[in-house]
Amino acid sequence: MDTSFFDTVKTGDASLPERVAGQISQLIIDRHLTCEDKLPNEFELAEQLHVGRGTVREAVKLLVARNVLVIRRGKGTFIARHPGEVEDPLGFAYYADKIRLAQDLLEVRTQLEPWVASLAAQRASAEDMDHLREAALLVEQDIFSGKDHLGQDTKFHICIAQCTQNLVVPKLIPIITYSVELFGSLNGNVLLSETVSAHRAITSAICTRDAKAAEQAMAQHLEHNRAELALIVKELGGPTFS
Amino acid sequence: MDTSFFDTVKTGDASLPERVAGQISQLIIDRHLTCEDKLPNEFELAEQLHVGRGTVREAVKLLVARNVLVIRRGKGTFIARHPGEVEDPLGFAYYADKIRLAQDLLEVRTQLEPWVASLAAQRASAEDMDHLREAALLVEQDIFSGKDHLGQDTKFHICIAQCTQNLVVPKLIPIITYSVELFGSLNGNVLLSETVSAHRAITSAICTRDAKAAEQAMAQHLEHNRAELALIVKELGGPTFS
């Protein structure tokens, strides 16, 4: 076992389990371990890192909490499918002013998502297009059967992001489509018919490689959301920044 | 003590400490607790949540690992300053193809940051402008004294984001300025003089409220980075997507 990665022991304020967690992270990075790979067992790690097995166990718990590692019962500890990715990584759930947050998220989406739709139209593969049509259908199914469609709605927007072939965009979109859910909770889903027609227009534009139309359809979709949000804010009597 | 937040106990696959961590999170959200606030003690939480103190302790550890809570020695457990925010929340460190990642980050920055600079010029307060000039100076000081300026460089870009008065943008920028550091590690800091002149142009445009000039100066700065990155990729013999 190569031990060079153990040379970079962080010193400073971090606790011992925290430092050992850092070393294990570095091991995952250096060896390009992926979700197929099992982490060396506690005993082996303890020996290599010159720490007790209790410390290794604490370090592993930290990395599980951060979604770097996953424990599969009876099978051992594995690298997570998307190591280090966490739900709500920017802590939006902890913001008090949800209206302001919804407005600011929408402002960022308005800058980003029409461009994303345009890139998607230019770069989507045939397979991407199939996924996109499927994702659009699932949103409609939820809407027409009276179910909560927001989970599928977010997936639809992530699907568009995946069509861009950019590694970063699909990671960013879930962060800002946090607003989809937030917005849904604010407006009580009054936009259902607009959602169906807008999603159809966006899907059709991307699948015919019409970048300009995709960009416009997305911009229009978000503008509709913005107007609706402004109305809600007005009713609530709060300030509006739009 | 109001116990309504305990009604929404998540069931399902999550472990007991994981579910209790969810309840404590909900408590923080419902009560608008901030970094000034201390979490109720273990004993109180255990009683309220009808679980053992060991479980509460495990749940608290999970929330510390996720930067929702911080333990101040001898003082107790407090809410973190930016609860839920983690470093590298998208797990970029775990990507194998750093070149592709650097290119894709730069593509997103090119779409986002000129717009951010333009908003900054329109909305920065006098205080924001002071901070921005200071941030620009600190980058120059590091460069001229031969130090690693990348930490200050990232802060400069975050400072611009703060001028927008948008809650979300300053949270998003550190994610994509991950590329600043990545880029620095790839190009060995050959862009130093360009960095100084570009940062000066951006700062000056924002501080004179010239939105168009701010947008253009930022776009030019990023285009310079893109060209440099393309050159590095060519030298390395890898594929380029630009």
Side-chain angles (χ1 to χ4, degrees), chain A residues 95 100 104 165 167 171, chain B residues 95 100 104 165 167 171:
Chain A
Y95 278 82
R100 170 94 190 273
D104 288 359
Q165 318 298 335
L167 290 176
K171 307 281 172 181
Chain B
Y95 277 83
R100 170 93 189 273
D104 287 358
Q165 319 296 336
L167 290 176
K171 306 281 173 181

Side-chain angles (χ1 to χ4, degrees), chain B residues 160-182:
Chain B
I160 295 172
Q162 282 163 341
C163 298
T164 65
Q165 319 296 336
N166 179 303
L167 290 176
V168 180
V169 173
K171 306 281 173 181
L172 231 42
I173 295 295
I175 295 177
I176 61 169
T177 52
Y178 184 90
S179 78
V180 172
E181 213 148 323
L182 186 62

Side-chain angles (χ1 to χ4, degrees), chain B residues 140-198:
Chain B
E140 292 194 12
Q141 277 175 13
D142 276 358
I143 288 177
F144 292 136
S145 61
K147 281 196 241 165
D148 179 359
H149 70 290
L150 294 178
Q152 293 297 348
D153 197 313
T154 299
K155 281 184 191 163
F156 174 76
H157 286 273
I158 294 172
C159 195
I160 295 172
Q162 282 163 341
C163 298
T164 65
Q165 319 296 336
N166 179 303
L167 290 176
V168 180
V169 173
K171 306 281 173 181
L172 231 42
I173 295 295
I175 295 177
I176 61 169
T177 52
Y178 184 90
S179 78
V180 172
E181 213 148 323
L182 186 62
F183 191 63
S185 73
L186 290 172
N187 83 352
N189 298 336
V190 294
L191 293 176
L192 296 179
S193 65
E194 193 278 334
T195 297
V196 171
S197 62

Side-chain angles (χ1 to χ4, degrees), chain A residues 13 15 18 25-26 28-29 32-33 58 61-66 68 73 79 82-98 100-101 103-105 107-108 111-112 115 119 123 164-169 171-172 175-176 241, chain B residues 13 15 18 25-26 28-29 32-33 58 61-66 68 73 79 82-98 100-101 103-105 107-108 111-112 115 119 123 164-169 171-172 175-176 241:
Chain A
D13 291 342
S15 70
E18 193 63 68
S25 281
Q26 199 54 52
I28 294 167
I29 295 164
H32 303 297
L33 299 182
E58 287 300 311
K61 275 187 196 168
L62 285 173
L63 293 171
V64 169
R66 289 173 189 147
V68 173
R73 274 180 209 167
I79 317 306
H82 300 289
E85 262 187 64
V86 296
E87 232 185 293
D88 187 25
L90 303 181
F92 287 146
Y94 300 91
Y95 278 82
D97 189 348
K98 300 294 185 200
R100 170 94 190 273
L101 182 59
Q103 290 175 320
D104 288 359
L105 283 163
E107 183 171 76
V108 175
Q111 174 61 19
L112 212 52
W115 169 72
L119 276 190
R123 299 180 185 170
T164 65
Q165 318 298 335
N166 179 304
L167 290 176
V168 180
V169 173
K171 307 281 172 181
L172 233 42
I175 294 177
I176 60 170
F241 300 88
Chain B
D13 291 342
S15 70
E18 192 65 66
S25 281
Q26 199 54 51
I28 294 167
I29 296 165
H32 303 297
L33 299 182
E58 286 300 310
K61 275 187 195 167
L62 285 173
L63 293 170
V64 169
R66 288 172 190 148
V68 173
R73 273 181 211 170
I79 317 306
H82 299 290
E85 262 186 66
V86 295
E87 232 186 291
D88 187 25
L90 303 182
F92 287 147
Y94 299 91
Y95 277 83
D97 189 347
K98 299 295 184 199
R100 170 93 189 273
L101 181 58
Q103 290 175 321
D104 287 358
L105 283 163
E107 183 170 76
V108 176
Q111 175 61 19
L112 212 53
W115 170 72
L119 277 190
R123 300 180 185 170
T164 65
Q165 319 296 336
N166 179 303
L167 290 176
V168 180
V169 173
K171 306 281 173 181
L172 231 42
I175 295 177
I176 61 169
F241 298 90

Side-chain angles (χ1 to χ4, degrees), chain A:
Chain A
M1 196 186 212
D2 160 26
T3 58
S4 65
F5 56 86
F6 297 134
D7 297 344
T8 56
V9 184
K10 275 190 214 163
T11 48
D13 291 342
S15 70
L16 184 59
E18 193 63 68
R19 297 202 313 266
V20 171
Q23 293 174 311
I24 296 173
S25 281
Q26 199 54 52
L27 178 156
I28 294 167
I29 295 164
D30 291 345
R31 299 194 182 175
H32 303 297
L33 299 182
T34 72
C35 65
E36 301 298 315
D37 298 309
K38 197 171 170 174
L39 195 72
N41 67 41
E42 247 175 39
F43 185 80
E44 197 183 327
L45 286 170
E47 199 168 61
Q48 293 283 343
L49 297 165
H50 310 293
V51 292
R53 290 177 62 180
T55 304
V56 170
R57 210 171 300 132
E58 287 300 311
V60 166
K61 275 187 196 168
L62 285 173
L63 293 171
V64 169
R66 289 173 189 147
N67 194 34
V68 173
L69 299 174
V70 283
I71 293 167
R72 297 195 198 145
R73 274 180 209 167
K75 292 187 175 172
T77 306
F78 290 80
I79 317 306
R81 181 176 291 272
H82 300 289
E85 262 187 64
V86 296
E87 232 185 293
D88 187 25
L90 303 181
F92 287 146
Y94 300 91
Y95 278 82
D97 189 348
K98 300 294 185 200
I99 295 274
R100 170 94 190 273
L101 182 59
Q103 290 175 320
D104 288 359
L105 283 163
L106 209 48
E107 183 171 76
V108 175
R109 289 185 68 184
T110 299
Q111 174 61 19
L112 212 52
E113 286 207 276
W115 169 72
V116 169
S118 150
L119 276 190
Q122 295 166 59
R123 299 180 185 170
S125 68
E127 203 187 345
D128 289 332
M129 291 180 187
D130 287 343
H131 288 157
L132 186 61
R133 287 189 202 97
E134 175 75 14
L137 266 183
L138 290 173
V139 179
E140 293 194 12
Q141 278 176 11
D142 276 357
I143 288 177
F144 292 136
S145 60
K147 281 196 242 168
D148 180 358
H149 71 290
L150 294 176
Q152 293 298 347
D153 197 314
T154 299
K155 281 186 191 162
F156 174 76
H157 286 272
I158 295 171
C159 195
I160 294 170
Q162 281 163 341
C163 296
T164 65
Q165 318 298 335
N166 179 304
L167 290 176
V168 180
V169 173
K171 307 281 172 181
L172 233 42
I173 295 295
I175 294 177
I176 60 170
T177 51
Y178 183 90
S179 77
V180 172
E181 213 148 326
L182 186 61
F183 190 65
S185 74
L186 289 172
N187 81 355
N189 298 334
V190 295
L191 294 175
L192 297 179
S193 65
E194 193 278 334
T195 298
V196 171
S197 62
H199 282 198
R200 282 184 187 176
I202 294 164
T203 304
S204 153
I206 291 173
C207 293
T208 55
R209 299 215 176 284
D210 189 339
K212 201 71 213 156
E215 187 178 335
Q216 283 170 352
M218 182 64 87
Q220 209 178 330
H221 184 36
L222 293 170
E223 170 53 26
H224 208 288
N225 282 2
R226 198 200 57 74
E228 197 68 29
L229 183 58
L231 214 65
I232 294 165
V233 173
K234 207 175 164 188
E235 280 169 12
L236 291 173
T240 172
F241 300 88
S242 56

Side-chain angles (χ1 to χ4, degrees), chain B residues 5-19:
Chain B
F5 57 86
F6 296 135
D7 297 343
T8 57
V9 184
K10 275 189 215 162
T11 48
D13 291 342
S15 70
L16 184 60
E18 192 65 66
R19 295 201 314 264

